[in-house]
Amino acid sequence: MRLRQIEAFRATMNTGTITGAAHMMSVTQPSVSRLIADLEENLGFRLFDRKSSRLQPTEEASRFYQEVERTFAGIDQLEHVAERIRQEQMGLLNVFSTPALSASLLPSIVKKFHETHPKTEVRLDVRVPMEIFRQLQANTGDVAISNHAAELPGVVQEPLINAVFICALPEGHRLAAKEVITPQDLEGETIIGLSSEGPLNWNKIFKTFEDKGVMYHKWLTTQHAETGYAMVAEGIGIGILEPFSARRWSKIGVVIRPLRPKFDFAFSICFSANKARSSIAQDFAQIVREQLKNDPLPFQC
């Protein structure tokens, strides 16, 4: 029994005709007929009965086809694995990132990576943290930068930084004259809320305000810090936001000040626990670490 015979049988089952199978396999109809006849001889039972101009699979053929499909599913998986290996050999790096980090931290890192790996193709996939972790569990990514989460099966999280969040103010706001912002300073102000999604528990910030008796307005909530910065720039309210985007937004209508007491959240470099790390993935992770060391985030002390 040869693989080509099995392919001819499978193609005939899938198309319902010798003609369709021949077209699928890019061979002649007599070639398909010969392959199936040889397979029947090897198996010791008939696979098809001819009724009018159609082929009718026998009961034995239907049972045999189920096993063939299971076998080919494994072959398809091997092809996917081979494709990933070929891509790595050609220099393909699949990077996952959260929306905020993709627009703030990643551009300079990708630029530096390209300078040292000019032949490597980079695919940057932007997703929310829990979706990033699901992709790593499925072994579809090489490296990711995300908020740190509780221990997850199939995911390795290496600590990157505990980022201290900053206070973002509209230009001309009364609090822009202060060097440091405290919760009491925000009394009566509109605070742009961030949805408590994924591993970041944004609510701990607002609970602290409430515990201190600070009364504020919160009528606008968004799940992305970049949107929060844009709303601050428009003068809608004040944001307690991630610091990665702070310098860029300070050039386009946002005043950045430290908030005390500090609120910090952990970020990590992540890998799949079930996939060997490529050298280019490790190089990329090292550039990320060096970037944060050489260009520290604002107001982290």
Side-chain angles (χ1 to χ4, degrees):
M1 185 165 45
R2 295 183 289 111
L3 179 59
R4 197 60 171 165
Q5 295 170 350
I6 302 298
E7 290 176 340
F9 166 69
R10 183 172 184 248
T12 303
M13 290 290 287
N14 288 338
T15 62
T17 65
I18 294 294
T19 301
H23 180 73
M24 179 180 290
M25 298 177 65
S26 299
V27 298
T28 64
Q29 294 180 45
S31 296
V32 174
S33 298
R34 183 71 263 167
L35 287 168
I36 291 177
D38 291 343
L39 179 61
E40 288 178 327
E41 183 176 348
N42 290 334
L43 294 173
F45 54 79
R46 289 187 58 77
L47 294 171
F48 297 100
D49 292 324
R50 183 173 295 278
K51 294 186 177 180
S52 299
S53 59
R54 300 285 296 179
L55 291 178
Q56 180 67 40
T58 63
E59 180 181 350
E60 292 81 1
S62 298
R63 291 168 56 191
F64 186 62
Y65 177 71
Q66 293 177 5
E67 294 302 320
V68 167
E69 283 301 284
R70 276 193 279 269
T71 300
F72 271 82
I75 293 174
D76 289 342
Q77 180 61 29
L78 289 176
E79 289 178 347
H80 291 318
V81 171
E83 176 61 22
R84 286 201 298 269
I85 294 173
R86 284 194 296 270
Q87 289 175 346
E88 290 172 1
Q89 288 179 334
M90 292 186 296
L92 173 65
L93 182 68
N94 290 294
V95 180
F96 286 92
S97 170
T98 62
L101 298 181
S102 70
S104 56
L105 183 65
L106 266 295
S108 59
I109 290 171
V110 169
K111 181 179 180 181
K112 291 177 182 177
F113 179 81
H114 179 66
E115 290 171 353
T116 56
H117 299 74
K119 295 184 179 180
T120 300
E121 177 187 350
V122 178
R123 292 181 183 172
L124 178 58
D125 199 337
V126 180
R127 306 197 182 202
V128 296
M130 295 314 297
E131 181 59 29
I132 289 175
F133 298 139
R134 282 192 287 269
Q135 293 297 321
L136 291 176
Q137 288 172 327
N139 302 329
T140 57
D142 296 306
V143 60
I145 308 176
S146 179
N147 318 109
H148 188 83
E151 185 174 346
L152 294 167
V155 178
V156 175
Q157 301 180 74
E158 297 182 352
L160 178 62
I161 188 173
N162 282 348
V164 178
F165 279 41
I166 56 85
C167 183
L169 305 161
E171 282 186 344
H173 192 279
R174 65 177 182 86
L175 294 178
K178 292 180 63 70
E179 292 298 319
V180 177
I181 307 300
T182 66
Q184 288 75 16
D185 293 326
L186 302 175
E187 178 75 33
E189 295 289 343
T190 294
I191 307 297
I192 298 171
L194 290 168
S195 303
S196 185
E197 293 184 348
L200 288 191
N201 184 10
W202 301 101
N203 288 334
K204 79 175 186 179
I205 295 176
F206 301 108
K207 186 177 186 304
T208 299
F209 292 171
E210 292 162 5
D211 289 345
K212 292 180 178 295
V214 176
M215 303 297 293
Y216 60 91
H217 306 291
K218 191 179 78 170
W219 56 268
L220 174 63
T221 302
T222 179
Q223 70 267 42
H224 293 310
E226 279 288 307
T227 305
Y229 272 106
M231 296 299 171
V232 172
E234 193 63 26
I236 293 174
I238 295 172
I240 312 302
L241 303 171
E242 50 82 12
F244 299 97
S245 307
R247 290 195 182 96
R248 180 164 60 88
W249 279 98
S250 67
K251 301 175 183 178
I252 46 178
V254 176
V255 177
I256 307 301
R257 292 289 183 266
L259 177 69
R260 297 295 182 266
K262 296 188 293 185
F263 297 95
D264 63 342
F265 294 93
F267 290 78
S268 297
I269 295 179
C270 309
F271 303 90
S272 169
N274 303 313
K275 179 181 179 181
R277 300 181 194 179
S278 66
S279 60
I280 56 175
Q282 296 183 69
D283 291 346
F284 187 89
Q286 183 59 31
I287 292 174
V288 174
R289 296 186 181 98
E290 291 174 354
Q291 170 74 15
L292 289 172
K293 179 180 178 181
N294 298 330
D295 188 17
L297 300 174
F299 309 132
Q300 298 301 292
C301 298

